[in-house]
């Protein structure tokens, strides 16, 4: 894993202005727990109203604690501006609602987080259509474009199977046609993959996962150029009202101080567990970006790996999956990923094998989010849970 040293410094240190010139400053940014900001005179308030995206008027707009988080994530992504949201879904909603018009089409690439696709289905009510293209080949992507395609939204590594897309190739193909590109970059975090320098227009994160890292908050963030962020700010963020409260922004800043160190441990332990699973007779396949068919691309595009991946149980029926999950003692059963505690879940339900197959998801799939308990303990846990499965 390589993490840019300047990124580590950014994660650790808050930039706090002194109260008076020459004053000492706190190491942690103050939590500015206020709904509004008052002005020295009415004219100053009216001036601030002309650009609420760059003035403190009301905390549904800008708040200093939240701005410190946005400054950090924008710099980590090498983007011009960022906006934080109440959740990852609030961030994705704001991108779609802020940038799209009736009649537009979204092309989704790779396996996409389920609720993102559910949101796209709701957007049909407003005349916005979409398609999903699972084939990463640029020719297949081109063939899936429509004259109305305005946005290509992707995940790389993708949800559930962690397949990678060639981000520079997608960006080039889209730019040539004036199509905006956006990526849900949550898996890699801004420390391990920087889509904007590769030509992608928008990078988005659910901060609920690795950025927060402690499973104690829900948050999202979007990074892009100033012009796009202004459109997202005025046409969606400010009016939808899905703000990140100052205390949650502060918790997130605290979580991010250990992000570089956590990622090193997540990568090492997840790889150790993935390799161990590859050799297990009850396991048909392991889906980890470093071990799959597109590992060369993953290696080239990312500077390391986080700790969430999946494996396929050889007996792929629901009962076997359920038995293995229920036999785990250290991995907790739950949604989400990216926290300090290890988690397990499966997309399988008693009756959905067909519909999963239609989405390209193999039966028997189990997803692990490897936390920080240590690879040895987690391998022991998996060994006893798998003992009866082969
Ligand atoms: C969890 C998740 C989201 C949604 O984030 P929330 O903070 O839960 O709203 C978006 N994308 C991916 C890939 C996720 O795993």
């Amino acid at each position: 894993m390589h993490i840019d040293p300047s990124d580590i410094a950014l994660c650790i240190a808050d930039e706090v202005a002194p109260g008076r010139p020459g004053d000492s400053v706190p190491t942690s940014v103050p939590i500015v727990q206020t709904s509004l900001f008052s002005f020295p005179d009415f004219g100053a308030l009216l001036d601030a109203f002309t650009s609420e995206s760059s003035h403190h008027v009301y905390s549904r707009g800008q708040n200093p604690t939240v701005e410190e988080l946005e400054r950090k994530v924008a710099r980590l992504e090498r983007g011009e501006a960022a906006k934080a949201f109440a959740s990852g879904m609030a961030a994705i909603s704001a991108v779609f609602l802020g940038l799209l018009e009736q009649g537009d089409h979204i092309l989704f690439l790779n396996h996409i987080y389920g609720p993102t696709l559910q949101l796209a289905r709701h957007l049909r009510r407003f005349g916005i259509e979409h398609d999903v293209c699972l084939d990463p080949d640029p020719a297949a992507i081109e063939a899936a474009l429509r004259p109305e395609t305005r946005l290509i939204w992707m995940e790389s590594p993708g949800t559930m199977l962690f397949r990678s897309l060639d981000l520079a190739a997608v960006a080039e193909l889209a730019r040539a046609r004036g199509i905006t590109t956006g990526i849900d970059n949550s898996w890699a975090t801004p420390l391990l993959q920087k889509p904007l320098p590769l030509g992608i227009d928008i990078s988005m994160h659910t901060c609920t996962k690795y950025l927060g890292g402690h499973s104690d908050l829900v948050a999202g963030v979007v990074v892009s150029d100033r012009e796009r962020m202004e459109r997202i700010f005025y046409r969606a963020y400010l009016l939808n009202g899905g703000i990140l409260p100052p205390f949650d922004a502060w918790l997130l800043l605290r979580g991010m101080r250990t992000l570089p160190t956590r990622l090193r441990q997540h990568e090492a332990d997840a790889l150790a567990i993935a390799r161990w699973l590859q050799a297990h007779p009850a396991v048909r396949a392991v889906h980890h970006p470093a071990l799959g068919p597109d590992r060369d691309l993953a290696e080239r595009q990312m500077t390391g790996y986080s700790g969430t991946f999946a494996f396929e149980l050889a007996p792929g029926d629901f009962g076997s999956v359920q038995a293995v999950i229920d036999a785990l003692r250290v991995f907790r059963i739950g949604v989400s990923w990216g926290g300090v505690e290890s988690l397990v879940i499966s997309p399988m339900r008693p009756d959905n094998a067909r519909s999963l197959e239609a989405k390209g998801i193999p039966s028997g799939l189990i997803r692990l989010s490897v936390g920080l308990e240590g690879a040895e303990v987690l391998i022991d846990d998996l060994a006893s849970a798998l003992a009866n499965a082969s």
Side-chain angles (χ1 to χ4, degrees):
M1 176 174 296
H2 174 75
I3 300 177
D4 187 321
S6 70
D7 286 354
I8 300 175
L10 258 175
C11 284
I12 291 173
D14 288 358
E15 198 172 82
V16 186
R20 287 173 302 233
D23 247 4
S24 59
V25 290
T27 53
S28 160
V29 71
I31 304 169
V32 183
Q33 189 69 30
T34 187
S35 62
L36 69 97
F37 301 82
S38 65
F39 290 80
D41 54 63
F42 191 43
L45 169 62
L46 296 180
D47 281 348
F49 264 155
T50 63
S51 104
E52 273 196 71
S53 63
S54 54
H55 289 87
H56 301 135
V57 176
Y58 189 48
S59 283
R60 180 156 51 74
Q62 295 289 29
N63 172 283
T65 314
V66 182
E67 276 171 342
E68 174 59 11
L69 170 73
E70 292 164 350
R71 180 190 73 86
K72 278 194 190 191
V73 180
R75 289 184 63 184
L76 290 173
E77 283 277 0
R78 312 295 185 254
E80 286 179 2
K83 191 73 216 125
F85 294 84
S87 65
M89 283 313 299
I92 294 169
S93 305
V95 171
F96 292 179
L97 296 176
L99 301 183
L100 296 173
E101 309 290 338
Q102 189 175 13
D104 286 352
H105 173 258
I106 310 170
L107 182 62
F108 290 101
L109 302 184
N110 211 352
H111 287 279
I112 297 285
Y113 180 63
T116 305
L117 293 178
Q118 280 175 38
L119 171 67
R121 286 197 279 279
H122 278 286
L123 291 181
R124 286 203 175 114
R125 291 191 281 124
F126 305 97
I128 294 169
E129 294 293 325
H130 71 274
D131 285 299
V132 180
C133 175
L134 293 178
D135 188 340
D137 181 10
I141 296 170
E142 260 187 88
L145 292 172
R146 290 201 208 162
E148 314 81 62
T149 308
R150 288 287 166 274
L151 177 66
I152 294 177
W153 188 260
M154 66 203 103
E155 290 185 24
S156 179
T159 283
M160 285 300 166
L161 295 184
F162 308 96
R163 298 293 306 268
S164 297
L165 288 168
D166 186 335
L167 300 185
V170 174
E172 191 183 318
L173 171 159
R175 285 241 161 133
R177 291 165 181 76
I179 300 169
T180 300
T181 48
I183 183 171
D184 183 331
N185 197 25
S186 305
W187 190 91
T189 85
L191 298 188
L192 304 181
Q193 178 166 267
K194 301 200 190 295
L196 302 185
L198 295 175
I200 301 292
D201 298 310
I202 300 164
S203 184
M204 165 268 154
H205 295 270
T206 162
C207 311
T208 314
K209 315 292 166 56
Y210 287 113
L211 295 190
H214 294 74
S215 307
D216 53 7
L217 65 90
V218 175
V221 68
V222 176
V223 187
S224 190
D225 56 89
R226 241 173 235 109
E227 197 185 317
R228 270 201 191 82
M229 290 314 299
E230 286 280 292
R231 289 186 69 197
I232 291 169
F233 185 94
Y234 287 108
R235 292 169 46 126
Y237 165 79
L238 193 57
L239 302 173
N240 289 352
I243 70 157
L244 183 64
F247 180 68
D248 293 55
W250 182 86
L251 268 182
L252 189 42
L253 286 164
R254 187 170 78 155
M256 282 176 64
R257 294 191 218 289
T258 55
L259 179 62
T261 309
R262 284 187 282 115
L263 282 175
R264 285 203 178 90
Q265 201 63 44
H266 285 304
E267 177 191 72
D269 290 355
L271 275 169
I273 294 166
R275 291 198 175 104
W276 179 86
L277 282 168
Q278 271 187 321
H280 197 287
V283 173
R284 188 188 298 130
V286 171
H287 299 275
H288 184 296
L291 307 176
D294 36 33
R295 74 178 148 257
D296 291 346
L297 173 62
E299 187 98 344
R300 199 166 69 233
Q301 214 162 246
M302 298 191 284
T303 59
Y305 303 99
S306 62
T308 304
F309 69 96
F311 68 96
E312 269 172 64
L313 209 56
D317 60 293
F318 177 77
S320 303
V321 165
Q322 185 174 33
V324 168
I325 290 178
D326 285 343
L328 289 165
R329 290 288 167 265
V330 183
F331 283 91
R332 299 191 208 182
I333 304 167
V335 296
S336 196
W337 44 278
V340 293
E341 71 292 316
S342 293
L343 293 167
V344 61
I345 200 166
S346 168
M348 285 193 82
R349 305 292 176 267
D351 52 4
N352 73 344
R354 277 257 176 79
S355 76
L356 284 181
E357 203 179 307
K359 291 183 217 153
I361 303 285
S363 64
L365 201 71
I366 296 177
R367 187 187 73 187
L368 301 178
S369 172
V370 173
L372 302 179
E373 297 91 345
E376 209 173 316
V377 168
L378 297 170
I379 287 174
D380 282 352
D381 196 28
L382 284 161
S384 38
L386 289 171
N388 299 322
S390 40

